[in-house]
């Protein structure tokens, strides 16, 4: 669901200055809706988006990717800051050519940076050596809902491609309002005595599972946005993160 004008204004007040969307969101109207809703506010945000899904299905065909990036720029009325390949694990053999196309889009000034957004990078590991261009950023799932083998694959994939940065997404499995998150006590990841809520502690853990510099998540609630924005000051304890990862690996091996 596209953010409202009021929520965008509130986000800026809360110190949130980045928006993440995709070509296929909101029935392929996300960029037009965002531009119409944000108007002059859009220039105050860093905008990332994704290409790869089309009305006739998912494809990494270079010509379709470039056309989507060009359409994105036209609909936003500005150059997107970052464009990601959207879930290329659906077509690992097409990864190298698709990466070259997005690198070409960056060189042509159609975006300022490019990257890969993958729900599960494990299927892409075998194709990684065929990629000859270095992505600016890799976006992967992050947080307590991610399986251990996916966390390991995210770290391997980032290293294999020599990506300059790694971002996280979906730290609460796509639904931070699910009652389960009020029952998961992630505060064990923090130093004792810190006044973080369980959601804030879960966000802190997500920044370390795997290590990411930023996290994309969705909310339509100003109160929830405030809680999350205030939660970025908490940092998970490395010793607890390491212990948790070892437990995940042990569970995978059994």
């Amino acid at each position: 669901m596209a953010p409202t004008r009021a929520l965008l204004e509130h986000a800026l007040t809360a110190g949130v200055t980045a928006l993440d969307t995709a070509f296929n969101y909101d029935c392929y109207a996300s960029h037009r809706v965002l531009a119409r809703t944000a108007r002059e506010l859009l220039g105050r945000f860093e905008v990332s988006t994704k290409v790869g899904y089309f009305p006739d299905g998912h494809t990494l065909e270079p010509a379709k990717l470039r056309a989507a990036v060009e359409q994105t720029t036209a609909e936003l009325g500005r150059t997107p800051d970052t464009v990601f390949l959207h879930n290329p694990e659906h077509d690992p053999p097409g990864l190298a050519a698709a990466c070259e196309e997005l690198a070409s889009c960056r060189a042509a000034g159609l975006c300022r940076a490019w990257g890969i957004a993958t729900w599960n990078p494990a299927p892409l590991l075998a194709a990684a050596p065929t990629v000859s261009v270095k992505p600016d950023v890799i976006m992967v799932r992050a947080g307590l809902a991610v399986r251990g083998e996916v966390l390991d694959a995210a770290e391997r994939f980032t290293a294999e491609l020599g990506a300059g940065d790694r971002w996280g997404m979906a730290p609460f499995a796509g639904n931070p309002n699910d009652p389960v998150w009020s029952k998961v006590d992630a505060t064990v990841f923090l130093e004792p005595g810190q006044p973080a809520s369980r959601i804030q502690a879960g966000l802190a853990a997500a920044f370390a599972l795997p290590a990411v510099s930023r996290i994309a998540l969705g909310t339509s609630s100003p109160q929830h946005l405030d809680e999350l924005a205030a939660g970025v000051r908490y940092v998970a304890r490395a010793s607890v993160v390491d212990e948790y990862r070892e437990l995940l690996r042990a569970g995978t091996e059994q």
Side-chain angles (χ1 to χ4, degrees), residues 145-229:
V146 186
R147 302 192 312 273
E149 61 267 29
V150 176
L151 294 173
D152 290 340
E155 291 167 338
R156 286 181 56 197
F157 188 60
T158 306
E160 284 279 351
L161 268 64
D165 198 3
R166 183 166 58 225
W167 299 355
M169 60 180 168
F172 302 105
N175 184 11
N177 296 316
D178 192 305
V180 70
W181 295 112
S182 66
K183 301 174 184 177
V184 175
D185 189 3
T187 58
V188 296
F189 283 88
L190 304 180
E191 293 290 345
Q194 294 193 73
S197 68
R198 292 191 176 192
I199 286 291
Q200 290 172 331
L203 182 63
F207 269 100
L209 295 168
V212 295
S213 64
R214 65 172 67 180
I215 290 180
L217 50 82
T219 182
S220 59
S221 165
Q223 294 75 24
H224 186 237
L225 183 62
D226 286 341
E227 181 181 14
L228 292 168

Side-chain angles (χ1 to χ4, degrees), residues 3-12 219-222 225:
T4 64
R5 170 81 179 196
L7 188 61
L8 292 173
E9 292 173 340
H10 190 86
L12 289 170
T219 182
S220 59
S221 165
L225 183 62

Side-chain angles (χ1 to χ4, degrees), residues 3-249:
T4 64
R5 170 81 179 196
L7 188 61
L8 292 173
E9 292 173 340
H10 190 86
L12 289 170
T13 301
V16 177
T17 58
L19 298 172
D20 180 66
T21 185
F23 185 78
N24 60 304
Y25 289 176
D26 207 5
C27 298
Y28 298 91
S30 63
H31 298 133
R32 297 192 299 276
V33 172
L34 179 59
R36 183 172 64 246
T37 302
R39 302 192 299 279
E40 80 286 353
L41 292 182
L42 194 58
R44 298 176 62 183
F45 287 95
E46 180 182 335
V47 179
S48 59
T49 190
K50 314 172 196 74
V51 293
Y53 287 99
F54 300 90
D56 56 351
H58 182 276
T59 182
L60 297 184
E61 182 184 339
K64 294 195 72 170
L65 295 174
R66 177 171 282 260
V69 176
E70 292 173 343
Q71 183 178 334
T72 295
T73 298
E75 291 180 346
L76 286 175
R78 53 161 287 186
T79 301
D81 293 281
T82 305
V83 175
F84 291 97
L85 291 179
H86 203 170
N87 295 133
E89 59 267 33
H90 292 307
D91 181 18
L95 178 65
C99 287
E100 290 175 6
E101 189 58 47
L102 285 199
S104 176
C105 287
R106 181 186 61 186
L110 295 173
C111 58
R112 294 184 175 87
W114 72 276
I116 298 169
T118 168
W119 197 249
N120 181 6
L124 296 170
L125 289 171
T130 68
V131 178
S132 60
V133 289
K134 176 181 175 181
D136 298 295
V137 58
I138 303 292
M139 181 185 282
V140 295
R141 290 181 62 204
L144 297 171
V146 186
R147 302 192 312 273
E149 61 267 29
V150 176
L151 294 173
D152 290 340
E155 291 167 338
R156 286 181 56 197
F157 188 60
T158 306
E160 284 279 351
L161 268 64
D165 198 3
R166 183 166 58 225
W167 299 355
M169 60 180 168
F172 302 105
N175 184 11
N177 296 316
D178 192 305
V180 70
W181 295 112
S182 66
K183 301 174 184 177
V184 175
D185 189 3
T187 58
V188 296
F189 283 88
L190 304 180
E191 293 290 345
Q194 294 193 73
S197 68
R198 292 191 176 192
I199 286 291
Q200 290 172 331
L203 182 63
F207 269 100
L209 295 168
V212 295
S213 64
R214 65 172 67 180
I215 290 180
L217 50 82
T219 182
S220 59
S221 165
Q223 294 75 24
H224 186 237
L225 183 62
D226 286 341
E227 181 181 14
L228 292 168
V232 298
R233 68 179 183 270
Y234 298 108
V235 178
R237 287 186 287 170
S239 60
V240 179
V241 172
D242 290 344
E243 183 178 359
Y244 179 76
R245 293 291 297 273
E246 287 304 316
L247 288 171
L248 289 178
R249 292 186 180 109

